[in-house]
Amino acid sequence: MNPDTHRLDRAFASTRSVLAQIRPDQLGDPTPCSSWDVRAVINHVIGSAHWATASVGLGVESADLDFAAGDFLASYDECARAALAAFGTDGVLDLTVRLAFGEFSGAEVLGMAETDQFTHGWDLARAIGLPTDLDPGLAEELLATTQKTITEAYRGPDGAAPFGPERTAPADAVPADRLAAFLGRTV
């Protein structure tokens, strides 16, 4: 395994373990992302993996497809393989990537993908009643990184900003819950 993509691989594996347990009758269930149900979060994690791959010039974005209507686990596996290959390509982490909200290195886009995949896996676990103690070591690493990179400029109301206001996690919260609270989820 490429050491540069180790965390992304773990984030995909964590979220995949949750996706594998989602039943069709749960697609309409609410999630901690108040404007998205389970179906929308599934579509987002697959779509955002395609987006991350495309943002570094090694893939194509998906155009508003309903991945949840088909074999979303197979779609997730496919986009995870493509993203891991893209971010494992020599030189990708040093690229300058121009996004709608600024310029970032390929390494920073990789970090965005890691956090996005892992956190939305947490959202899905919470939505369908699974334990949220997902990959505690990775959750700690992502929390340490996001505490340095997520500023108030990225926070706001649901649907208007990437992250909600920071919440306080209970004192005994597991690492993934602490990450979710930092990113604006109620835990």
Side-chain angles (χ1 to χ4, degrees):
M1 174 187 314
N2 184 324
D4 294 329
T5 60
H6 180 68
R7 287 187 352 176
L8 182 60
D9 187 49
R10 288 171 62 192
F12 280 130
S14 177
T15 295
R16 188 190 193 286
S17 71
V18 175
L19 284 168
Q21 298 181 65
I22 295 174
R23 299 182 319 266
D25 65 319
Q26 295 172 313
L27 295 176
D29 289 358
T31 71
C33 300
S34 62
S35 59
W36 290 350
D37 60 11
V38 168
R39 174 184 299 278
V41 175
I42 290 170
N43 286 323
H44 175 77
V45 294
I46 296 170
S48 70
H50 286 292
W51 168 85
T53 304
S55 73
V56 294
L58 296 171
V60 178
E61 281 192 64
S62 58
D64 296 327
L65 299 174
D66 184 4
F67 297 104
D71 185 348
F72 57 82
L73 205 51
S75 294
Y76 193 72
D77 290 343
E78 179 185 327
C79 72
R81 279 190 299 276
L84 290 165
F87 284 101
T89 301
D90 287 342
V92 164
L93 301 183
D94 298 320
L95 290 174
T96 298
V97 180
R98 287 170 185 79
L99 303 175
F101 48 95
E103 284 189 5
F104 302 89
S105 70
E108 290 170 314
V109 175
L110 172 61
M112 291 177 203
E114 294 164 352
T115 301
D116 186 68
Q117 290 299 318
F118 184 82
T119 305
H120 287 303
W122 181 93
D123 291 327
L124 291 168
R126 183 78 182 261
I128 65 169
L130 295 177
T132 56
D133 193 13
L134 307 170
D135 195 333
L138 179 58
E140 289 283 2
E141 292 175 34
L142 294 175
L143 179 59
T145 301
T146 59
Q147 287 174 329
K148 296 175 190 166
T149 59
I150 304 300
T151 65
E152 287 303 310
Y154 296 110
R155 295 184 183 278
D158 186 46
F163 306 101
E166 181 178 355
R167 309 267 187 194
T168 302
D172 62 346
V174 298
D177 288 353
R178 291 196 316 271
L179 173 63
F182 178 75
L183 296 176
R185 274 84 166 160
T186 301
V187 296

